[in-house]
Amino acid sequence: PNKGKRVNKSAGQEKDEEVVSVKQRKMMLTKASADAPLCFDSPREFFQSLISPMSVDEFFQHHWEKKPLVLHRSDAALADYYRSLFQLSDLQQLCSRGLQFGTDLNICRCIDGKKKVLNKDGRVKFSQLKKDFDQKKATMQFHQPQRFKDELWRIQERLECFFGSLVGSNVYITPEDSQGLPPHYDDVEVFILQLEGQKHWRLYKPTVHLAREYSLEPEEHIGTPTHDIILQAGDLLYFPRGTIHQANTPSGVDHSTHLTLSTYQNTSWGDFMLDVFPSFLFDSMKSDHRLRCGLPQNLLTCPSFGPDINKQVCVFLRHLADRLEQEHKELRSTDMKRDFISNRLPPFLLDQADLEPAGKLPALDDTVCIKFKEHLLLTVEPSQDDTDKATELAVFVLHSLRNKRETHMMGLSDDEQGSQFQGLRFPLTHVAALKQLLRLERVAVRDLQLMQDADKLGLTLGLWTEGLLHVC
């Protein structure tokens, strides 16, 4: 709401209380970020400014999935900006919003190489939180702060656009001479932004290269550190998934606050093949009768499959690989695309008014362009209609415009989030025209790659009604 009212009981009168509108927040953040050291003009420019002075190409050539990167900076403006992202004092204000232990926040400490969780039940009270912080030297682990902090929403939305993958975050606040977590490795690419104080980090050679799961590693098994560093406000640390690490706040430092940005969970070639191979195999079975031949009798009841079965599967796999290469079949990703688009952040500070159809209806003589391209994708998949006909394919235009920032990366089910897949369905014949709209800056409606003018108008009207099309 742009304005709310609160009853002034002492005066017995109502007084207007201004509530900051989305437009006002945009203006305030634009003004505050005018001199910010990060550039938000495009996803690539943002990432470049995040890892400056290293170039994007150099980062992906030498560090991404290969080895850690440490960037020590002596930039006062950058340190001030990092401190503004989240501070210990922010947590006190957020506790008044009904944070819950376990869901929103954990308190823990590493004791004798083991993680001890000190959570209470129910709602978080800052007074108790601060007591455990001071007296028990407990680390506060705050989950997904982008749900509450606009500038973190802005940062992570840009990163999700850049990587094409979900980006989560945690804030860790650790008191002096204490450690929150034992040595472990993660299944995500990790970027550490040091916000307040200092943090002592030790990194070790992975025991599982590019790990697919989180795991603790006993200190006696991990050897000597490959990196032993202290981060200060404004510094950045990156390390690939599988990198064993531990961190503590040194003596003489009141407390440390750092932000962990994580991405590329389950975003490997293996995950992609698990996603696209079933549909490719299903399509291949339609045209290759050998794949439709029955299994040997009682194969499924055998305690194990012998070398003849392995050999036959290898024959099929080689044939499928040849078919994919020679016929240039287009692979169809469905689950990975839908998971990303339905769980990612919505566009930064998107106003409800931005989602409404605006301007004139598209006509054949108009030129149009797609809005929110970075938050839109196509899938080709079964139409999902109840029909007696053979399975038919359709093209879906999916978007994240109505996703809920408040539930981002919280691991909730669709029912708990209260959201469904947002988008439109069109006949498969419309896929070329949709790709045309996504590829080009502007397209004349009359030039869309569809045979009938009625289809061109129907396609553009559907996109315009959904708030995805602008008539230039």
Side-chain angles (χ1 to χ4, degrees):
N2 293 329
K3 180 181 286 189
K5 292 185 177 181
R6 180 178 296 170
V7 177
N8 185 338
K9 294 183 178 179
S10 61
Q13 299 175 344
E14 288 186 349
K15 72 172 184 177
D16 290 345
E17 179 186 344
E18 295 294 333
V19 178
V20 178
S21 67
V22 171
K23 183 177 181 180
Q24 289 171 320
R25 287 162 70 197
K26 286 181 179 177
M27 293 175 63
M28 291 165 60
L29 279 166
T30 300
K31 182 178 180 181
S33 301
D35 299 322
L38 300 183
C39 174
F40 291 88
D41 291 345
S42 73
R44 183 180 177 88
E45 288 176 297
F46 170 76
F47 188 72
Q48 173 63 82
S49 65
L50 182 68
I51 62 170
S52 177
M54 177 167 286
S55 71
V56 174
D57 291 340
E58 184 181 2
F59 172 78
F60 281 98
Q61 182 178 355
H62 297 293
H63 292 277
W64 178 254
E65 295 190 332
K66 296 181 180 71
K67 64 180 182 179
L69 168 68
V70 183
L71 294 175
H72 292 297
R73 281 119 167 202
S74 56
D75 186 331
L78 184 62
D80 288 342
Y81 176 74
Y82 274 26
R83 275 189 285 267
S84 74
L85 297 178
F86 201 98
Q87 302 177 37
L88 176 59
S89 56
D90 290 323
L91 199 53
Q92 182 173 8
Q93 183 270 326
L94 289 173
C95 283
S96 66
R97 302 180 66 167
L99 302 181
Q100 298 289 315
F101 280 109
T103 302
D104 300 296
L105 184 141
N106 286 328
I107 52 174
C108 56
R109 185 177 180 186
C110 177
I111 301 176
D112 297 328
K114 296 182 179 180
K115 176 182 176 181
K116 184 175 182 179
V117 179
L118 304 172
N119 287 354
K120 306 297 188 294
D121 292 327
R123 186 167 175 171
V124 177
K125 295 181 180 179
F126 185 77
S127 58
Q128 182 63 53
L129 201 62
K130 191 65 165 63
K131 183 178 178 181
D132 289 340
F133 184 78
D134 293 334
Q135 297 180 5
K136 297 182 180 180
K137 297 291 185 179
T139 288
M140 305 175 190
Q141 180 190 31
F142 184 52
H143 302 150
Q144 310 304 336
Q146 73 280 2
R147 297 177 292 147
F148 306 98
K149 298 284 286 185
D150 282 347
E151 193 68 2
L152 293 179
W153 175 12
R154 189 184 193 192
I155 287 171
Q156 289 176 237
E157 187 264 349
R158 289 288 83 185
L159 286 175
E160 288 188 335
C161 289
F162 177 74
F163 285 113
S165 177
L166 296 175
V167 176
S169 69
N170 284 312
V171 165
Y172 294 86
I173 307 176
T174 303
E176 177 185 5
D177 198 23
S178 183
Q179 180 170 331
L181 301 174
H184 66 280
Y185 60 79
D186 297 299
D187 58 346
V188 287
E189 302 296 305
V190 175
F191 295 86
I192 304 293
L193 279 59
Q194 186 65 29
L195 309 184
E196 291 184 301
Q198 299 178 5
K199 203 67 175 281
H200 175 212
W201 286 86
R202 284 168 288 170
L203 310 182
Y204 305 82
K205 184 178 179 179
T207 54
V208 179
H209 184 60
L210 300 178
R212 279 183 53 80
E213 57 188 4
Y214 165 91
S215 180
L216 298 176
E217 284 284 12
E219 193 153 5
E220 59 268 22
H221 294 167
I222 60 180
T224 58
T226 59
H227 297 71
D228 193 319
I229 56 178
I230 291 181
L231 297 185
Q232 304 191 62
D235 291 347
L236 180 143
L237 169 65
Y238 158 80
F239 49 85
R241 55 194 185 276
T243 303
I244 302 167
H245 56 279
Q246 59 178 324
N248 66 282
T249 301
S251 298
V253 177
D254 180 68
H255 71 274
S256 163
T257 304
H258 78 262
L259 173 73
T260 296
L261 297 168
S262 57
T263 189
Y264 257 60
Q265 186 177 49
N266 300 332
T267 314
S268 67
W269 277 110
D271 294 299
F272 180 73
M273 290 174 67
L274 285 171
D275 186 31
V276 302
F277 192 76
S279 61
F280 172 60
L281 181 58
F282 181 80
D283 291 344
S284 299
M285 289 173 67
K286 292 181 179 180
S287 58
D288 189 341
H289 77 278
R290 292 170 295 181
L291 291 168
R292 303 197 301 271
C293 290
L295 294 172
Q297 287 79 13
N298 290 313
L299 176 64
L300 300 181
T301 63
C302 293
S304 62
F305 303 141
D308 289 345
I309 299 301
N310 290 355
K311 182 178 179 180
Q312 183 59 56
V313 171
C314 289
V315 170
F316 285 138
L317 290 175
R318 292 189 188 98
H319 177 70
L320 289 170
D322 290 341
R323 181 172 184 264
L324 180 62
E325 185 173 33
Q326 295 168 7
E327 300 180 17
H328 305 289
K329 294 291 183 182
E330 185 170 351
L331 296 171
R332 302 201 310 268
S333 170
T334 299
D335 291 342
M336 288 183 73
K337 282 189 172 186
R338 281 186 174 263
D339 179 70
F340 174 52
I341 203 69
S342 63
N343 289 293
R344 66 179 298 189
L345 282 163
F348 177 63
L349 288 185
L350 183 67
D351 195 351
Q352 182 63 35
D354 296 329
L355 303 177
E356 302 299 327
K360 59 172 289 191
L361 288 168
L364 280 175
D365 294 329
D366 289 327
T367 300
V368 297
C369 61
I370 291 288
K371 299 163 59 178
F372 308 110
K373 278 187 181 182
E374 293 172 343
H375 286 262
L376 185 152
L377 56 78
L378 304 181
T379 67
V380 175
E381 51 191 294
S383 64
Q384 301 176 346
D385 279 340
D386 292 329
T387 175
D388 292 332
K389 298 179 181 179
T391 303
E392 294 182 354
L393 297 177
V395 56
F396 291 81
V397 181
L398 306 178
H399 63 79
S400 56
L401 306 187
R402 295 179 178 85
N403 286 4
K404 295 183 181 296
R405 168 203 183 185
E406 295 78 12
T407 58
H408 179 245
M409 295 298 292
M410 290 301 290
L412 304 178
S413 67
D414 291 339
D415 291 338
E416 289 173 312
Q417 292 187 70
S419 63
Q420 300 292 327
F421 295 127
Q422 301 293 333
L424 301 167
R425 186 190 69 186
F426 295 99
L428 190 59
T429 53
H430 288 44
V431 69
L434 285 165
K435 290 180 178 179
Q436 184 184 6
L437 285 164
L438 289 174
R439 184 177 68 253
L440 302 175
E441 287 296 322
R442 297 183 178 188
V443 182
V445 176
R446 191 178 298 278
D447 293 337
L448 286 173
Q449 293 175 333
L450 285 164
M451 296 295 294
Q452 303 295 325
D453 287 347
D455 289 337
K456 298 174 183 178
L457 290 173
L459 172 62
T460 53
L461 178 60
L463 295 170
W464 179 84
T465 304
E466 189 73 4
L468 300 175
L469 196 75
H470 173 69
V471 180
C472 304

